[in-house]
Amino acid sequence: MSSCFFQSDFSSMNIRRATHDDIHECCRLLQYLFTIETEFRPDRQLQRKGLEMIIRNPEETGIVLVAEEGNRLQGMVVLLSTISTALGKKVLILEDMIVDPEVRSRGIGSALISSAGEYAEKEGFGRITLLTDHDNAAAHAFYIKHGFRPSSMKVFRKKI
């Protein structure tokens, strides 16, 4: 798989798989995400641990895609792999997606979500599932614009 998924026409931004060297910047981005989500709180140590688990074991866990411009990460998306017995194939869970607030509305989120779709198609995944806060209308509109549809299923969680 190519390291560059998307090359923007308007800048030097590209989308690629995250490496261990990106973890610090990914944690910075996750701080933004977890301050706006209602169920989660920022914890750099936990976010680092989770990112290391994904980046070290992509065959078992999934991948992290990052949007890079110059030497700075502008956004990221985490794609976790599992299997759907309903579809009889691999599926992805879009776990975390965030664009640096300073560079929003420049197409970075669209580039990330398009790259996630390209990756899913190329690797034979049957679906991408994601969760958003129920009152995050901007995120809902964004995902609908990019082909996602609301599900009638309800999310339940049990902390272990």
Side-chain angles (χ1 to χ4, degrees):
M1 177 172 54
S2 166
S3 64
C4 181
F5 285 91
F6 177 85
Q7 184 67 46
S8 168
D9 291 335
F10 59 84
S11 71
S12 60
M13 182 190 61
N14 68 70
I15 308 295
R16 62 172 175 79
R17 277 190 189 203
T19 67
H20 190 269
D21 292 341
D22 296 317
I23 290 176
H24 179 75
E25 277 290 288
C26 287
C27 286
R28 177 186 64 82
L29 291 167
L30 287 173
Q31 295 297 301
Y32 294 123
L33 179 64
F34 294 133
T35 57
I36 61 172
E37 285 192 348
T38 58
E39 285 192 44
F40 305 105
R41 298 288 170 252
D43 184 323
R44 238 178 233 271
Q45 187 175 0
L46 293 177
Q47 275 88 67
R48 171 175 288 283
K49 182 178 177 181
L51 289 165
E52 286 174 351
M53 290 168 55
I54 298 165
I55 291 171
R56 258 197 311 252
N57 301 302
E59 298 81 20
E60 295 177 24
T61 58
I63 65 169
V64 179
L65 296 178
V66 292
E68 180 179 51
E69 188 169 35
N71 292 328
R72 186 165 171 95
L73 298 187
Q74 306 291 0
M76 63 177 282
V77 61
V78 175
L79 302 168
L80 301 177
S81 176
T82 190
I83 296 170
S84 167
T85 55
L87 296 179
K89 59 186 348 184
K90 301 180 303 180
V91 294
L92 289 171
I93 299 170
L94 191 156
E95 180 69 9
D96 300 312
M97 182 164 159
I98 187 71
V99 172
D100 188 318
E102 293 180 18
V103 294
R104 290 193 180 147
S105 301
R106 291 184 40 208
I108 295 168
S110 293
L112 281 166
I113 205 73
S114 294
S115 294
E118 290 171 17
Y119 169 77
E121 188 173 332
K122 181 178 178 188
E123 298 297 320
F125 289 92
R127 175 181 70 216
I128 301 174
T129 299
L130 63 90
L131 304 173
T132 66
D133 285 337
H134 74 280
D135 60 350
N136 191 341
H140 301 168
F142 173 82
Y143 290 119
I144 288 168
K145 175 183 166 185
H146 290 282
F148 289 79
R149 297 295 171 250
S151 170
S152 61
M153 299 187 83
K154 180 156 179 69
V155 175
F156 290 83
R157 289 197 172 103
K158 179 179 180 179
K159 258 192 135 159
I160 307 293

